[in-house]
């Protein structure tokens, strides 16, 4: 007889104990039975056989994170700021950075609230140098007779310090910037004043007279500016404004190639792409420039077949087509000098090295560079055309790795019904309608026979009938809960209960990971510590917003849940140990695309450089995230007037109570609420938290809200 049947038979002979829930200590707990497998999350986790290397393999950190991220012997994520050239003593423990950033100032921390973006300028520098080195090697090894000089498309991340770092780090090899709007052009002009004089300033995007005038002024300021025609109509404006300002432009054209990238990011490619000129339009541009005596101004050909190009075969096909157009422009008399291959250099978000995925690519940097150089060289040699300067706009590949988003769990929950003593089952169902009692009998019989699929079918049917009876008023809420407990008991007994937990995180998906919500973009998300322990749970992540889309339930590797650890203590803010998660490879686009849904603003930010201190890092800049007042202003509210309204209301309705809580104390706490970030804080940090025997409230000191620390101020650890 199956073990479960023993319980069913025993229950039938037992005296009626009424509704026996788990909190009824007068009832004996049933002995575990051996014939049915335990649910997956019931077994105790054996950590003795676990190791950091097993966590590395579990989360495929070596696949998507190399050479910048790994797991150290303490079970924490280690950052290797110089990539493969990082020495052991230069590795940075990510958890130590989080502690220093979030710990209160009285204990040596910076008192920043999470979520937190950690930027690593050293990683940014290494990405730039690696890209340049890959092209330099390809050019030298293939005998290419020109050079490579890239530009960074500032739309990927317009943060001031990111852009300034790229200009500084790339100055020695003439690295430039690309702008796609007037404000981007203004910041690019300003930043490149400190860059290499030969660095390109590529002006893309739709243009009006003001945009074109700004670009022409940039040339007057001795910046190496190229106006790229995205639409044929822009040429008339360029000719007109250049004559009015008496500034001769350098012009590029964006070609609309026939080569098409079939993935999600390929919508900008092909004949029906959003940008670019057809071959017919390019010919008209050449003719008009020739008639205007400005054909010598046409010096650059640009194209873009889409982000995340999956294979070098597709890349070479597109570059070869563009190189053919370049050679034809030379033949037609244009003074061509540069071929700009656009973006498309992808990164491997899931470590799969896949050629048929929007979140992976099947090549490395050196293979990408070799394919580009070979394709241009082959076509130019065939046409006896001088090799052009090769330019690329590789934004995603440059900035994605340098930034990590850190956030913490608030709590974890799973669906749970009240535990019901099996001896009480028959007495619970006595109060149900006959059809529901029949479902229970069928459920018991199927369980006794070991027919588990049939068991689940009858359990669902029993629940459905009881819900309908509850709606009709014939079943009370206690009976409904008890029936849920019965069905949950059988599900657990046959090993079919859902082990997935929901981890509530102190984050807004819409603000910090908008591409997940908008286009289903996946990023590596993993715990940044406790990786020397086996994760005993699987979970999805639910954010703070009042929106059903505010969750992350898809992960790299095709997973619908993430291996996670049990929260220590009560978990979250009330427990003794925080549980930190990190989202990696999100340095491109996420910050610029993030909104203020539910008025949650952006994260706090720190810049961290490798140092020779005992903990190998120095915090060179710290910036708290936007306050409640800041995000209110974004939506045209005026926090100062709002506070005055509330102050008058308080004077009218609130008076000192028996504990001596004065209006001034409440007002002070209210004022601090406008200055604090919108995210959750521990109760000990609440600005209304009373201090015993003080007849007042504790508030954060004003210096915790410092907007920034100067670049020269460093905290070395």
């Amino acid at each position: 007889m199956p073990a479960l049947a023993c319980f069913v038979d025993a229950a039938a002979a037992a005296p009626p104990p009424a509704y026996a829930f788990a909190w009824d200590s007068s009832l004996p707990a049933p002995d575990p039975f051996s014939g049915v497998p335990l649910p997956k999350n019931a077994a105790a986790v054996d950590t003795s056989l676990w190791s950091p290397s097993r966590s590395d393999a579990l989360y495929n950190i070596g696949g998507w994170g190399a050479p910048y991220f790994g797991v150290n012997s303490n079970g924490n994520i280690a950052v290797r700021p110089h990539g493969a050239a990082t020495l052991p003593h230069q590795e940075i423990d990510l958890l130590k950075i989080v502690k220093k950033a979030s710990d209160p100032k009285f204990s040596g921390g910076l008192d920043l609230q999470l979520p937190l973006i950690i930027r690593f300028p050293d990683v940014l520098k290494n990405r730039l140098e690696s890209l340049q080195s890959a092209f330099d090697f390809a050019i030298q090894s293939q005998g290419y007779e020109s050079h490579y000089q890239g530009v960074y498309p500032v739309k990927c991340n317009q943060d001031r310090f990111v852009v300034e770092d790229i200009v500084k780090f790339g100055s020695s090899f003439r690295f430039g910037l690309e702008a796609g709007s007037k404000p981007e052009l203004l910041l690019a002009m300003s930043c490149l004043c400190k860059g290499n004089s030969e660095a390109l300033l590529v002006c893309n995007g739709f243009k009006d007279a003001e945009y074109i005038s700004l670009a022409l002024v940039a040339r007057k300021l001795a910046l190496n500016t190229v106006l790229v025609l995205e639409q044929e109509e822009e040429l008339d404006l360029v000719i007109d404004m250049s004559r009015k300002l008496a500034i001769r432009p350098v012009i590029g054209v964006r070609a609309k190639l026939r080569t098409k990238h079939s993935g999600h990011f390929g919508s900008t490619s092909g004949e029906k792409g959003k940008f670019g000129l057809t071959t017919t339009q390019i010919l008209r541009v050449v003719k008009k420039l020739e008639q205007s005596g400005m054909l010598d101004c046409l010096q650059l050909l640009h194209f873009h077949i889409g982000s995340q190009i999956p294979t070098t075969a597709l890349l070479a096909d597109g570059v070869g087509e563009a190189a053919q157009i370049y050679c034809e422009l030379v033949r037609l008399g244009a003074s061509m000098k540069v071929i700009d291959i656009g973006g498309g250099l992808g990164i491997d978000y899931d470590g799969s090295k896949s050629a048929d995925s929007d979140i992976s690519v099947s090549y490395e940097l050196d293979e990408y560079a070799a394919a580009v150089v070979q394709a241009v060289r082959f076509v130019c040699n065939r046409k006896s055309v001088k090799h052009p300067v090769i330019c690329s706009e590789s934004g995603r590949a440059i900035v994605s790795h340098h930034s990590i988003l850190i956030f913490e769990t608030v709590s974890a929950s799973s669906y749970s019904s009240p535990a019901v003593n099996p001896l009480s089952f028959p007495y619970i169902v006595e109060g149900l309608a006959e059809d529901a009692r029949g479902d229970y009998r069928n459920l018991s019989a199927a369980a006794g026979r070991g027919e588990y699929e049939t068991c689940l079918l009858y359990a669902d049917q029993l629940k459905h009938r009881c819900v309908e009876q509850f709606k009709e008023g014939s079943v009370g809420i206690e009976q409904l809960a008890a029936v849920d407990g019965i069905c949950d008991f059988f599900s657990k007994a046959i090993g079919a209960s859902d082990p997935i937990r929901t981890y509530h995180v102190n984050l807004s998906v819409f603000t910090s990971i908008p591409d997940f919500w908008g286009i289903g973009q996946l990023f590596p998300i993993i715990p940044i510590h406790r990786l020397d322990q086996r994760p005993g749970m699987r979970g999805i992540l639910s954010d703070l917003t009042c929106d059903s889309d505010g969750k992350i339930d898809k992960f790299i590797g095709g997973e619908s849940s993430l291996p996670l650890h049990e929260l220590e203590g009560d978990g979250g803010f009330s427990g003794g140990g925080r549980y930190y998660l990190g989202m990696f490879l999100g340095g491109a686009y996420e910050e610029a695309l993030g909104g203020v849904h539910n008025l949650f603003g952006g994260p706090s930010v720190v810049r961290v450089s490798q140092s020779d201190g005992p903990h190998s890092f120095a915090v060179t800049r710290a910036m708290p995230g936007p306050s409640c007042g800041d995000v209110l202003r974004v939506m045209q509210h005026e926090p100062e007037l709002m506070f005055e309204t509330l102050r008058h209301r308080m004077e009218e309705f609130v008076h000192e109570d028996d504990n001596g809580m004065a209006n001034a104390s409440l007002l002070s706490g209210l004022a601090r609420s406008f200055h604090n970030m919108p995210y959750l804080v521990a109760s000990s940090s609440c600005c209304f938290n009373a201090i015993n025997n003080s007849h007042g409230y504790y508030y954060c000191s004003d210096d915790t809200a410092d907007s920034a620390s100067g670049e020269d101020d460093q905290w070395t650890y």
Side-chain angles (χ1 to χ4, degrees):
M1 176 184 295
L4 192 55
C6 299
F7 277 89
V8 175
D9 293 342
Y19 298 136
F21 295 96
W23 54 82
D24 188 348
S25 59
S26 64
L27 292 169
D31 294 328
F33 42 89
S34 58
V36 180
L38 289 170
K40 295 178 182 178
N41 61 342
V45 176
D46 180 10
T47 61
S48 61
L49 300 179
W50 201 255
S51 65
S53 61
R54 296 187 68 175
S55 286
D56 192 304
L58 175 67
Y59 295 107
N60 195 23
I61 299 170
W64 54 259
Y68 301 106
F69 309 111
V71 185
N72 63 25
S73 58
N74 294 322
N76 302 331
I77 289 294
V79 179
R80 301 175 184 128
H82 309 299
T86 305
L87 301 175
H89 72 276
Q90 295 175 324
E91 289 191 358
I92 302 172
D93 189 315
L94 190 58
L95 183 62
K96 291 181 180 179
I97 299 176
V98 174
K99 294 290 189 183
K100 286 298 180 183
S102 60
D103 280 354
K105 289 189 175 182
F106 65 77
S107 63
L110 299 176
D111 210 12
L112 293 175
Q113 189 179 338
L114 269 60
L116 174 71
I117 286 177
I118 304 175
R119 300 197 198 283
F120 294 94
D122 293 318
V123 173
L124 197 60
K125 184 173 186 285
N126 185 265
R127 293 300 294 172
L128 274 171
E129 292 173 345
S130 298
L131 177 62
Q132 185 70 38
S133 296
F135 272 99
D136 286 347
F137 179 79
I139 285 169
Q140 182 179 7
S141 62
Q142 296 186 34
Y144 192 80
E145 296 174 358
S146 189
H147 66 273
Y148 166 80
Q149 61 178 98
V151 295
Y152 167 65
V154 297
K155 68 177 181 180
C156 290
N157 193 322
Q158 299 100 333
D159 179 83
R160 168 191 166 188
F161 300 102
V162 171
V163 180
E164 288 181 354
D165 278 345
I166 288 172
V167 171
K168 179 175 67 174
F169 297 149
S171 179
S172 61
F173 36 84
R174 299 169 285 201
F175 214 88
L177 298 175
E178 179 270 347
S181 67
K182 284 180 274 190
E184 288 185 353
L185 177 54
L186 287 168
L187 77 85
M189 290 168 62
S190 174
C191 289
L192 282 175
C193 287
K194 298 179 180 178
N196 190 303
S197 61
E198 295 181 42
L200 289 166
L201 171 50
V202 177
C203 301
N204 289 330
F206 290 105
K207 303 171 188 68
D208 61 7
E210 185 178 18
Y211 186 126
I212 291 167
S213 298
L214 280 172
L216 291 170
V217 169
R219 284 206 64 79
K220 196 73 172 177
L221 299 178
L223 298 175
N224 192 10
T225 310
V226 183
L227 269 163
V228 178
L229 304 179
E230 303 274 5
Q231 305 292 319
E232 186 179 1
E233 297 78 16
E234 294 170 359
L235 178 59
D236 291 331
L237 281 174
V238 171
I239 294 173
D240 181 53
M241 297 309 301
S242 66
R243 286 172 175 169
K244 287 180 179 178
L245 296 174
I247 302 173
R248 198 159 182 84
V250 171
I251 298 172
V253 291
R254 178 168 178 169
K256 191 175 290 187
L257 301 186
R258 311 297 175 94
T259 304
K260 186 168 176 58
H261 173 5
S262 61
H264 168 81
F265 298 104
S267 60
T268 57
S269 62
E271 290 184 275
K272 296 182 179 180
K274 180 178 178 181
F275 298 105
L277 281 63
T278 64
T279 52
T280 301
Q281 291 174 314
I282 290 173
L283 287 172
R284 288 202 293 260
V285 165
V286 170
K287 184 176 182 181
K288 183 170 289 189
L289 285 172
E290 187 175 22
Q291 292 171 344
S292 302
M294 297 175 64
L295 187 55
D296 61 306
C297 296
L298 181 55
Q299 299 181 14
L300 179 145
L301 176 70
H302 171 48
F303 70 95
H304 178 64
I305 60 176
S307 297
Q308 285 289 109
I309 297 173
T311 66
T312 54
L314 176 62
L315 171 69
D317 194 24
V319 173
E321 181 185 352
Q324 186 67 33
I325 296 174
Y326 179 93
C327 291
E328 289 297 298
L329 290 173
V330 171
R331 182 181 64 82
L332 292 171
S335 300
M336 301 300 293
K337 295 180 180 178
V338 181
I339 183 167
D340 180 353
I341 66 174
L345 172 55
I347 63 171
D348 196 352
Y349 287 100
D350 63 2
S352 66
K353 302 294 186 289
S354 173
D356 56 2
S357 169
D358 285 335
I359 62 170
S360 184
V361 293
S362 61
Y363 52 81
E364 301 291 345
L365 266 180
D366 56 346
E367 295 170 311
Y368 174 89
V372 171
V373 172
Q374 183 178 23
V376 176
R377 176 177 173 274
F378 175 79
V379 174
C380 289
N381 284 351
R382 185 176 61 189
K383 292 286 186 177
S384 299
V385 170
K386 182 181 177 181
H387 295 171
V389 173
I390 296 175
C391 175
S392 73
E393 303 175 7
S394 305
R396 185 189 302 267
I398 290 173
V399 298
S400 290
H401 297 77
H402 96 287
S403 174
I404 304 172
L405 173 68
I406 305 295
F407 51 98
E408 58 194 326
T409 58
V410 177
S411 62
S413 62
S414 60
Y415 172 78
S416 60
S417 300
V420 183
N421 192 319
L423 300 177
S424 66
F425 288 179
Y427 307 99
I428 294 172
V429 299
E430 275 185 3
L432 304 178
E434 176 56 34
D435 52 1
R437 293 200 297 271
D439 288 333
Y440 169 73
R441 289 191 293 270
N442 291 331
L443 170 62
S444 300
R449 294 191 300 270
E451 298 173 356
Y452 295 154
E453 290 186 8
T454 305
C455 185
L456 292 175
L457 178 65
Y458 282 122
D460 287 340
Q461 193 165 298
L462 174 59
K463 280 187 176 183
H464 177 74
R465 290 191 197 277
C466 290
V467 169
E468 293 303 314
Q469 292 174 29
F470 177 74
K471 292 177 181 178
E472 295 169 358
S474 59
V475 167
I477 192 170
E478 295 89 352
Q479 287 175 290
L480 186 65
V483 169
D484 284 341
I486 292 174
C487 295
D488 192 49
F489 172 85
F490 281 102
S491 294
K492 288 180 178 178
I494 65 174
S497 61
D498 186 6
I500 306 299
R501 291 192 176 187
T502 298
Y503 283 67
H504 305 283
V505 294
N506 200 12
L507 183 77
S508 165
V509 169
F510 304 92
T511 299
S512 295
I513 320 178
D515 268 341
F516 176 81
W517 168 71
I519 62 173
Q521 171 75 44
L522 301 183
F523 297 91
I525 298 176
I526 62 170
I528 68 165
H529 60 134
R530 297 178 61 184
L531 296 173
D532 54 347
Q533 305 171 29
R534 178 180 177 180
M537 301 293 160
R538 295 196 70 91
I540 62 172
L541 308 180
S542 177
D543 76 355
L544 297 180
T545 65
C546 302
D547 197 303
S548 59
D549 286 331
K551 63 181 179 182
I552 303 175
D553 54 4
K554 294 182 178 64
F555 303 89
I556 62 171
E559 298 291 336
S560 58
S561 62
L562 188 66
L564 295 168
H565 301 86
E566 186 83 64
L567 299 185
E568 296 176 339
D570 295 327
F573 295 129
S574 59
R578 300 287 181 88
Y579 190 48
Y580 298 105
L581 303 177
M583 185 200 81
F584 295 76
L585 309 186
Y589 298 109
E590 300 314 290
E591 293 170 61
L593 292 174
V596 289
H597 185 38
N598 263 171
L599 296 186
F600 285 106
S604 302
V605 180
V606 294
R607 280 164 49 86
V608 175
S609 296
Q610 187 267 321
S611 80
D612 295 328
H615 298 301
S616 303
F617 70 90
V619 178
T620 60
R621 191 169 189 88
M623 176 78 73
S627 67
C628 291
D630 293 333
V631 293
L632 285 166
R633 288 187 188 92
V634 170
M635 304 307 292
Q636 308 304 312
H637 296 281
E638 299 183 45
E640 294 80 10
L641 295 181
M642 295 167 68
F643 175 75
E644 286 301 309
T645 299
L646 295 171
R647 184 175 66 82
H648 289 308
R649 186 79 170 183
M650 188 170 291
E651 290 172 351
E652 181 179 358
F653 288 97
V654 180
H655 308 283
E656 288 197 13
D657 59 19
D658 294 336
N659 295 322
M661 295 183 180
N663 290 3
S665 297
L666 291 175
L667 278 174
S668 179
L670 188 61
R672 292 299 303 161
S673 293
F674 282 98
H675 292 285
N676 290 340
M677 285 177 68
Y679 295 93
L680 303 187
V681 296
S683 57
S684 60
S685 300
C686 173
C687 57
F688 290 99
N689 192 32
I691 298 180
N692 292 333
N693 303 321
S694 68
H695 300 294
Y697 289 81
Y698 167 75
Y699 311 105
C700 300
S701 59
D702 290 339
D703 60 1
T704 63
D706 290 343
S707 61
S709 298
E711 185 72 16
D712 295 331
D713 296 331
Q714 297 192 8
W715 298 269
T716 303
Y717 305 106

